[in-house]
Amino acid sequence: MRKFNIRKVLDGLTAGSSSASQQQQPQQHPPGNREPEIQETLQSEHFQLCKTVRHGFPYQPSALAFDPVQKILAVGTQTGALRLFGRPGVECYCQHDSGAAVIQLQFLINEGALVSALADDTLHLWNLRQKRPAVLHSLKFCRERVTFCHLPFQSKWLYVGTERGNIHIVNVESFTLSGYVIMWNKAIELSSKSHPGPVVHISDNPMDEGKLLIGFESGTVVLWDLKSKKADYRYTYDEAIHSVAWHHEGKQFICSHSDGTLTIWNVRSPAKPVQTITPHGKQLKDGKKPEPCKPILKVEFKTTRSGEPFIILSGGLSYDTVGRRPCLTVMHGKSTAVLEMDYSIVDFLTLCETPYPNDFQEPYAVVVLLEKDLVLIDLAQNGYPIFENPYPLSIHESPVTCCEYFADCPVDLIPALYSVGARQKRQGYSKKEWPINGGNWGLGAQSYPEIIITGHADGSVKFWDASAITLQVLYKLKTAKVFEKSRNKDDRPNTDIVDEDPYAIQIISWCAESRMLCIAGVSAHVIIYRFSKQEVITEVIPMLEVRLLYEINDVESPEGEQAPPLPTPVGGANPQPIPPQSHPSTSSSSSDGLRDNVPCLKVKNSPLKQSPGYQTELVIQLVWVGGEPPQQITSLAVNSSYGLVVFGNCNGIAMVDYLQKAVLLNLGTIELYGSNDPYRREPRSPRKSRQPSGAGLCDISEGTVVPEDRCKSPTSDVKDNSFSRSRSSSVTSIDKESREAISALHFCETFTRKADSSPSPCLWVGTTLGTVLVIALNLPPGGEQRLLQPVIVSPSGTILRLKGAILRMAFLDTTGCLVPPAYEPWREHNVPEEKDEKEKLKKRRPVSVSPSSSQEISENQYAVICSEKQAKVISLPTQNCAYKQNITETSFVLRGDIVALSNSICLACFCANGHIMTFSLPSLRPLLDVYYLPLTNMRIARTFCFANNGQALYLVSPTEIQRLTYSQETCENLQEMLGELFTPVETPEAPNRGFFKGLFGGGAQSLDREELFGESASGKASRSLAQHIPGPGGIEGVKGAASGVVGELARARLALDERGQKLGDLEERTAAMLSSADSFSKHAHEMMLKYKDKKWYQF
């Protein structure tokens, strides 16, 4: 076995640390004298920050509306957000400034406008005729609470019901109140002593606009005659009402009640309902009333020309169905279908062919808004199948625990991922096209491919096509399938270090060119995946176990104990490929009964069928050591050219050769320093207690430590506004200072030592104490030799220091261009190749030690290092600090990325104080500093990431991704890229009344609402009742909505355009007539004055 003398390495380390101690000076001296000047093209004017689009399911939805002519769906949320959906790819997000919950939404059908009612008793009119909708008017009710709104089709008068039981009427053109009010005490019988409760329903009779049906919560329903201002009929029932719906002929209506019953009433028979139905009640034999059920929260009554009507309802299940999932019930003739939902129902709407309430409705689908999903049911097909949802609403299918964003990927990647993902599609969907298909796509100016990868709590990884501000799922990988599933709680091994979600993804490392994927999970496991288009069956899943130990026995002595030899593949930690029988049993324990040498999860030992897509290459697990669980992984990197993966935690670092399936390096962090450790470390205190479960990113410690990921679970949505950055409870105070975690890893081909004349493969390691260490890699030649000869790994002695934990590292060449890590281009591994072809491919591997083609031997490089507090640019091989920038004094950087923009590169940072900053490279000139958003929870910290071409994203809620841009060019092009919600569509013709109905006065009765509600008829409303607030919609919006708020006006305007010339002539003639009338009136007045006092006989 080859002995490794660490002292020789330590001699090199002392030289490295002396240079590190001199690095604080360069800030004072202008760097120009020492470094060749690189022409930097990026300027401040290239940067501008703005939100682009929001994807995902609207978080905490509360209201739903649909425009049946424009085919646009609107969803309101409890946080005052408004999401509008048209055809797939046409989506829009707006926000009410107050942040109050949206309680109801009403489209002005086919007018490009929407009214929202909020929980703070405000009404808002939104103009949807512009790409970014804006509020035109708002109305704030001061004395009453708004409970229900109703806007009849093609009317400009909005009925607003209140908690006091009154109904006010709003003119949606001017957003002012009419003086016409329906008072609750006039609506109910005077003999009734109790208040009827809030208004829960308002609708006009489909056949007579002059009759208004008002539902009060207590169970009273009133049919109000708007003209005579009195109640025609009153209907009373002794159960509270939740909703009311009309039959289209206007002779019957249906009510849903709190005891799970439906009552159907004839309009002219108020004494008792014609029919009482309990859809889910057990019918008792002796004619007694059925047992009460849960409330029916909503009912809809929809008619068809050629068959029975549909009665669709939510709720109403019997109380004995404990644990039953929420249901939507569809009653059609004698058949009743109960459709189970995955989440509770917030609201539903039946989509019908006609917008006219007095016509046969012909329902074709039901859109159901659930707490965490949007489901569309096809009513026309047997079995009521659901439509395949084309919107990206499944981001949160399992809670997102991390994400990465890649802009400007290789062009063949998205088709490759799509082709393997297409096979994962579920079957059994409706055969029809998605019916919500309004709006038009924007003109995509961006043509480069973008991919978002999300890691989830259940161990799944999703790849999304994010090109041109859209989002579509491409492929889903389930990482948990390589592990044995425990059937129940008792069966679970007690080696779990998390109580829930043991497979949750924490870190994703992906190489787009080679398509190699590596994930680190919460149970201290790492899995390496290779992409293949062929299905394979893996007989034995290759696996390695790594015992990553943190121990200091006696660090006080100047020389210290001789460090354990660095394991090399010749001898050391586990270099041989692991035979299949080494799957460990979970019962292993050391002599004193402590759990030892056991991984947290058990890898399957049966053959695994691997579908086309990402296939497991190797599973690596950290094991328990002396009763202590393995610490979670804090950093991860993979390199396809070298065939290596490296990961670290607060115990140390491990490197694995995934081609030879061998551990190359397994060192405690302190052993990386050798005797050159700048910190005085105490001996560690033994910990016997089991670690608290969980893996949330709740704690980030002061100045140095990255999130130690030990709270609840990545799924828990921790709201920690204080950011006290304390160390986790699992680390004792004595341990605290000495626990230095590995926080950044970067494979590259660069100068490892000052004396190097040419670059060579190496690994740069950053720690939470701000140290950067360099490990040299000696790789065997390519081809067969790569699989036979060992990779030699040795610390180079180079040490650099920064303030704060290291976050990101990158390398620039002499001209200031980014030097990407070496990679092996992707090729299909599961297809046997011809020998000559194989040799060519092997020779092509860019693993050679020679410098990259862009560099001559004499040319230097720059290392860019970003920490939580500062950024430095180090000149290589001299290791002088060329440029330095203190990014923040009072806060800390959460995410730093070196990104390409406008044919140049820059450093982009997101700070915990909410600032987004960019710096030029290599000189680190500040280019952008904008306060964007405060860090309100750890979800933002965990998911914020920058990508090339000025793109960035983060998870704004547990279900939604917010994308933004910091590129001025993208901000300018955004208007073109956004889709249009409103498209000019002809309103369908009104239903034909028929000859006899016209002759004998049947059919729909219209009403001149202007005559009733206008100021001349009903006077002005009390000023103290509501306050009008003009919106920020802008003149363009006002014009658009003023011309489009009401159907008659829109049509009149079209007619005006057609008859423009005639109207011009008419105007002149009218003006002439006016002037002649004026002169006539003057003459008449003069005559009157002249003869006013004369008697009749004086004429």
Side-chain angles (χ1 to χ4, degrees):
M1 178 173 148
R2 193 174 136 210
K3 273 282 192 187
F4 186 88
N5 189 344
I6 196 126
R7 296 205 179 165
K8 288 181 183 171
V9 177
L10 300 184
D11 295 339
L13 281 171
T14 47
S17 70
S18 60
S19 71
S21 63
Q22 293 159 11
Q23 279 170 21
Q24 301 309 316
Q25 284 94 43
Q27 212 170 14
Q28 283 81 35
H29 309 300
N33 335 352
R34 297 188 323 267
E35 298 302 327
E37 198 62 47
I38 290 174
Q39 193 63 44
E40 293 179 356
T41 54
L42 283 180
Q43 302 299 329
S44 297
E45 55 265 24
H46 289 109
F47 293 89
Q48 186 185 338
L49 195 71
C50 71
K51 291 180 182 177
T52 52
V53 281
R54 185 174 287 202
H55 303 296
F57 182 77
Y59 184 55
Q60 295 178 327
S62 56
L64 183 65
F66 182 67
D67 184 326
V69 181
Q70 285 288 321
K71 301 272 170 61
I72 295 285
L73 186 77
V75 176
T77 75
Q78 290 177 32
T79 52
L82 194 58
R83 289 284 293 281
L84 297 142
F85 298 93
R87 66 181 57 203
V90 176
E91 279 184 48
C92 180
Y93 157 75
C94 323
Q95 177 68 45
H96 292 92
D97 293 339
S98 66
V102 179
I103 55 172
Q104 205 178 346
L105 294 170
Q106 291 264 306
F107 274 101
L108 279 68
I109 293 172
N110 204 24
E111 305 293 358
L114 175 78
V115 174
S116 56
L118 269 57
D120 63 355
D121 310 306
T122 54
L123 302 177
H124 303 273
L125 177 67
W126 289 86
N127 174 25
L128 309 181
R129 290 180 174 234
Q130 52 200 61
K131 287 190 169 185
R132 291 211 154 179
V135 173
L136 290 169
H137 301 282
S138 299
L139 193 65
K140 167 83 175 156
F141 280 78
C142 305
R143 295 195 310 218
E144 297 198 52
R145 308 226 58 183
V146 175
T147 54
F148 193 88
C149 299
H150 169 64
L151 179 68
F153 179 44
Q154 291 183 329
S155 161
K156 70 172 184 182
W157 299 96
L158 174 76
Y159 301 110
V160 181
T162 69
E163 201 170 45
R164 288 189 187 174
N166 303 325
I167 291 175
H168 301 281
I169 296 163
V170 176
N171 180 334
V172 289
E173 278 181 347
S174 60
F175 239 56
T176 51
L177 276 176
S178 160
Y180 191 115
V181 183
I182 304 171
M183 302 301 285
W184 68 270
N185 51 357
K186 296 266 176 65
I188 66 164
E189 286 176 279
L190 294 175
S191 58
S192 173
K193 292 190 172 107
S194 58
H195 188 277
V199 174
V200 293
H201 179 83
I202 308 168
S203 60
D204 44 344
N205 185 322
M207 285 296 178
D208 187 352
E209 294 173 349
K211 307 285 193 224
L212 199 65
L213 195 69
I214 306 161
F216 296 98
E217 193 180 63
S218 64
T220 302
V221 178
V222 174
L223 188 68
W224 181 264
D225 188 314
L226 289 164
K227 283 181 185 167
S228 64
K229 300 187 181 178
K230 65 178 200 305
D232 280 358
Y233 299 104
R234 297 181 179 92
Y235 316 82
T236 50
Y237 191 74
D238 52 8
E239 289 293 338
I241 288 177
H242 284 278
S243 76
V244 184
W246 279 102
H247 186 284
H248 86 272
E249 288 174 350
K251 293 173 185 172
Q252 283 190 335
F253 62 88
I254 187 167
C255 300
S256 76
H257 299 278
S258 57
D259 64 344
T261 57
L262 297 172
T263 53
I264 299 175
W265 301 78
N266 275 346
V267 170
R268 295 172 184 273
S269 313
K272 64 169 191 172
V274 186
Q275 196 182 353
T276 304
I277 312 166
T278 312
H280 295 283
K282 288 179 182 160
Q283 297 298 327
L284 303 173
K285 286 178 184 172
D286 47 4
K288 287 182 185 171
K289 278 178 73 176
E291 290 175 6
C293 294
K294 293 174 184 173
I296 295 176
L297 300 175
K298 185 172 180 178
V299 65
E300 293 207 335
F301 200 2
K302 301 296 179 188
T303 52
T304 59
R305 269 190 175 78
S306 58
E308 300 278 347
F310 281 89
I311 295 175
I312 301 165
L313 56 117
S314 63
L317 294 178
S318 62
Y319 280 100
D320 61 0
T321 52
V322 181
R324 179 95 176 260
R325 293 195 293 180
C327 293
L328 186 83
T329 307
V330 180
M331 299 166 72
H332 185 221
K334 290 182 178 171
S335 79
T336 300
V338 180
L339 309 175
E340 287 198 342
M341 302 290 155
D342 289 338
Y343 307 100
S344 54
I345 297 171
V346 175
D347 198 358
F348 73 88
L349 287 171
T350 310
L351 308 190
C352 301
E353 295 292 352
T354 177
Y356 294 94
N358 58 358
D359 195 7
F360 284 99
Q361 299 297 289
E362 303 295 348
Y364 58 88
V366 184
V367 58
V368 190
L369 178 64
L370 305 175
E371 205 174 36
K372 292 184 179 177
D373 203 1
L374 183 76
V375 174
L376 204 57
I377 296 158
D378 185 352
L379 289 179
Q381 258 179 267
N382 285 339
Y384 305 132
I386 63 167
F387 288 87
E388 185 175 7
N389 197 322
Y391 306 133
L393 301 182
S394 63
I395 290 169
H396 63 288
E397 187 179 18
S398 168
V400 176
T401 49
C402 66
C403 70
E404 293 295 337
Y405 187 8
F406 301 87
D408 217 0
C409 304
V411 288
D412 57 346
L413 252 179
I414 288 175
L417 287 163
Y418 181 80
S419 68
V420 294
R423 305 175 197 203
Q424 301 176 329
K425 291 269 170 79
R426 274 177 49 194
Q427 301 301 312
Y429 289 114
S430 166
K431 306 269 188 300
K432 290 191 189 150
E433 289 286 308
W434 182 254
I436 302 163
N437 55 11
N440 278 323
W441 293 307
L443 303 164
Q446 291 177 339
S447 56
Y448 50 84
E450 297 172 71
I451 289 177
I452 294 170
I453 306 179
T454 52
H456 299 263
D458 63 355
S460 59
V461 176
K462 285 184 187 172
F463 290 77
W464 303 83
D465 176 4
S467 312
I469 69 170
T470 60
L471 193 70
Q472 184 187 2
V473 71
L474 291 169
Y475 170 72
K476 178 179 172 182
L477 167 68
K478 294 177 180 173
T479 66
K481 68 179 185 184
V482 300
F483 299 110
E484 296 281 6
K485 291 266 197 321
S486 43
R487 299 280 180 277
N488 53 45
K489 290 241 169 174
D490 307 329
D491 187 33
R492 274 167 56 170
N494 53 4
T495 51
D496 286 8
I497 52 171
V498 284
D499 289 340
E500 52 199 52
D501 306 321
Y503 312 110
I505 309 291
Q506 277 190 303
I507 309 173
I508 295 166
S509 176
W510 186 57
C511 172
E513 284 80 8
S514 66
R515 304 185 190 172
M516 288 300 294
L517 171 72
C518 195
I519 63 98
V522 77
S523 296
H525 62 281
V526 170
I527 310 178
I528 301 149
Y529 289 93
R530 212 185 267 282
F531 185 83
S532 171
K533 293 181 179 179
Q534 308 292 321
E535 183 177 291
V536 292
I537 291 176
T538 307
E539 291 299 327
V540 177
I541 299 165
M543 60 163 281
L544 284 175
E545 286 172 6
V546 177
R547 191 180 165 94
L548 199 52
L549 190 56
Y550 172 80
E551 265 186 301
I552 312 168
N553 294 326
D554 181 16
V555 200
E556 309 260 349
S557 62
E559 289 293 317
E561 298 281 315
Q562 180 161 345
L566 287 182
T568 62
V570 183
N574 223 344
Q576 295 84 24
I578 301 291
Q581 58 269 36
S582 75
H583 285 274
S585 68
T586 50
S587 57
S588 306
S589 59
S590 56
S591 53
D592 55 358
L594 292 171
R595 206 169 291 118
D596 196 46
N597 265 1
V598 220
C600 302
L601 302 171
K602 191 178 178 193
V603 176
K604 280 182 182 168
N605 48 18
S606 54
L608 181 70
K609 178 182 160 188
Q610 306 211 63
S611 306
Y614 275 101
Q615 298 171 351
T616 309
E617 174 83 2
L618 177 64
V619 179
I620 306 163
Q621 293 195 85
L622 295 181
V623 294
W624 284 66
V625 177
E628 255 191 49
Q631 293 295 313
Q632 282 167 6
I633 290 157
T634 52
S635 58
L636 173 73
V638 65
N639 187 288
S640 58
S641 173
Y642 307 156
L644 302 177
V645 65
V646 63
F647 55 93
N649 62 12
C650 64
N651 280 344
I653 185 171
M655 193 188 296
V656 169
D657 178 343
Y658 66 76
L659 297 175
Q660 294 189 22
K661 315 281 188 282
V663 179
L664 301 175
L665 182 73
N666 178 356
L667 277 184
T669 319
I670 296 141
E671 295 169 294
L672 277 173
Y673 289 96
S675 66
N676 224 22
D677 189 356
Y679 303 101
R680 181 176 166 278
R681 323 237 179 187
E682 298 291 329
R684 90 186 176 91
S685 101
R687 264 187 302 153
K688 302 293 181 197
S689 60
R690 191 186 167 190
Q691 201 125 11
S693 68
L697 293 153
C698 308
D699 36 20
I700 299 181
S701 83
E702 180 48 53
T704 56
V705 184
V706 293
E708 256 219 346
D709 307 359
R710 286 244 177 247
C711 286
K712 187 66 197 84
S713 109
T715 63
S716 57
D717 190 23
V718 185
K719 287 210 171 182
D720 180 10
N721 298 319
S722 60
F723 277 95
S724 55
R725 305 195 87 205
S726 62
R727 275 296 247 167
S728 76
S729 56
S730 64
V731 181
T732 60
S733 55
I734 300 173
D735 244 353
K736 182 176 172 182
E737 184 53 40
S738 54
R739 285 271 164 137
E740 181 180 11
I742 307 295
S743 58
L745 295 162
H746 189 87
F747 283 107
C748 55
E749 232 161 279
T750 186
F751 302 92
T752 49
R753 300 174 183 84
K754 284 186 180 183
D756 284 0
S757 58
S758 63
S760 57
C762 57
L763 170 73
W764 285 51
V765 181
T767 76
T768 50
L769 294 185
T771 307
V772 176
L773 304 136
V774 185
I775 294 173
L777 308 173
N778 190 353
L779 297 155
E784 297 299 320
Q785 292 301 307
R786 173 64 186 84
L787 299 173
L788 299 172
Q789 292 185 28
V791 177
I792 312 293
V793 181
S794 55
S796 68
T798 298
I799 294 187
L800 307 165
R801 300 271 306 126
L802 274 79
K803 266 193 259 171
I806 307 297
L807 299 177
R808 188 75 67 228
M809 296 176 280
F811 294 84
L812 314 180
D813 64 17
T814 302
T815 62
C817 295
L818 199 63
V819 179
Y823 63 86
E824 178 192 55
W826 179 79
R827 61 185 176 84
E828 182 58 72
H829 274 259
N830 292 332
V831 177
E833 293 144 351
E834 296 299 318
K835 200 172 179 191
D836 299 346
E837 188 68 23
K838 210 166 187 177
E839 285 309 308
K840 277 187 209 164
L841 281 165
K842 292 293 181 192
K843 284 172 185 165
R844 200 178 57 174
R845 289 163 60 91
V847 294
S848 63
V849 180
S850 62
S852 59
S853 56
S854 65
Q855 288 182 277
E856 294 301 317
I857 301 266
S858 59
E859 289 190 340
N860 62 347
Q861 282 187 346
Y862 295 97
V864 182
I865 304 166
C866 175
S867 80
E868 284 181 330
K869 293 285 186 182
Q870 61 179 193
K872 280 187 182 180
V873 173
I874 311 289
S875 183
L876 298 175
T878 60
Q879 296 179 16
N880 292 328
C881 178
Y883 304 97
K884 175 173 148 186
Q885 178 67 248
N886 287 325
I887 298 168
T888 174
E889 293 295 337
T890 53
S891 183
F892 54 98
V893 178
L894 284 161
R895 176 80 183 211
D897 284 299
I898 289 95
V899 288
L901 178 71
S902 305
N903 299 319
S904 189
I905 52 165
C906 64
L907 167 66
C909 298
F910 172 54
C911 281
N913 61 11
H915 282 254
I916 287 178
M917 294 182 270
T918 62
F919 301 92
S920 72
L921 287 175
S923 70
L924 295 173
R925 272 182 305 117
L927 295 170
L928 174 80
D929 184 353
V930 178
Y931 175 73
Y932 174 67
L933 87 162
L935 186 62
T936 48
N937 54 45
M938 283 312 298
R939 184 185 55 250
I940 298 170
R942 193 165 61 231
T943 56
F944 199 104
C945 46
F946 295 97
N948 290 337
N949 298 343
Q951 307 290 350
L953 67 78
Y954 62 98
L955 228 72
V956 66
S957 74
T959 62
E960 296 163 290
I961 285 175
Q962 176 67 56
R963 285 165 73 176
L964 53 144
T965 181
Y966 49 94
S967 153
Q968 193 264 339
E969 187 188 356
T970 308
C971 287
E972 279 183 2
N973 294 332
L974 187 60
Q975 195 65 15
E976 284 177 27
M977 293 163 68
L978 293 171
E980 306 241 14
L981 284 167
F982 180 80
T983 47
V985 180
E986 192 94 358
T987 303
E989 279 189 25
N992 194 350
R993 287 173 67 185
F995 175 73
F996 288 106
K997 280 190 176 174
L999 194 65
F1000 298 112
Q1005 303 289 314
S1006 63
L1007 168 78
D1008 188 345
R1009 295 187 178 95
E1010 187 70 46
E1011 195 181 298
L1012 274 179
F1013 307 144
E1015 204 173 300
S1016 55
S1018 61
K1020 286 189 174 178
S1022 162
R1023 281 194 175 179
S1024 61
L1025 191 60
Q1027 175 195 355
H1028 176 261
I1029 307 156
I1035 289 298
E1036 170 216 351
V1038 175
K1039 281 182 185 163
S1043 64
V1045 158
V1046 173
E1048 291 99 274
L1049 282 182
R1051 281 188 288 283
R1053 186 171 147 223
L1054 286 171
L1056 286 177
D1057 290 344
E1058 289 162 16
R1059 303 195 307 273
Q1061 188 60 48
K1062 291 177 191 172
L1063 283 174
D1065 299 345
L1066 186 63
E1067 207 172 343
E1068 285 166 21
R1069 268 181 274 159
T1070 309
M1073 285 172 73
L1074 270 173
S1075 67
S1076 67
D1078 198 28
S1079 64
F1080 175 79
S1081 89
K1082 276 182 187 170
H1083 285 301
H1085 190 65
E1086 283 165 15
M1087 290 282 287
M1088 185 270 291
L1089 290 173
K1090 189 175 175 183
Y1091 295 110
K1092 188 171 73 164
D1093 298 322
K1094 291 191 176 182
K1095 303 284 186 275
W1096 63 272
Y1097 52 83
Q1098 289 175 318
F1099 284 107

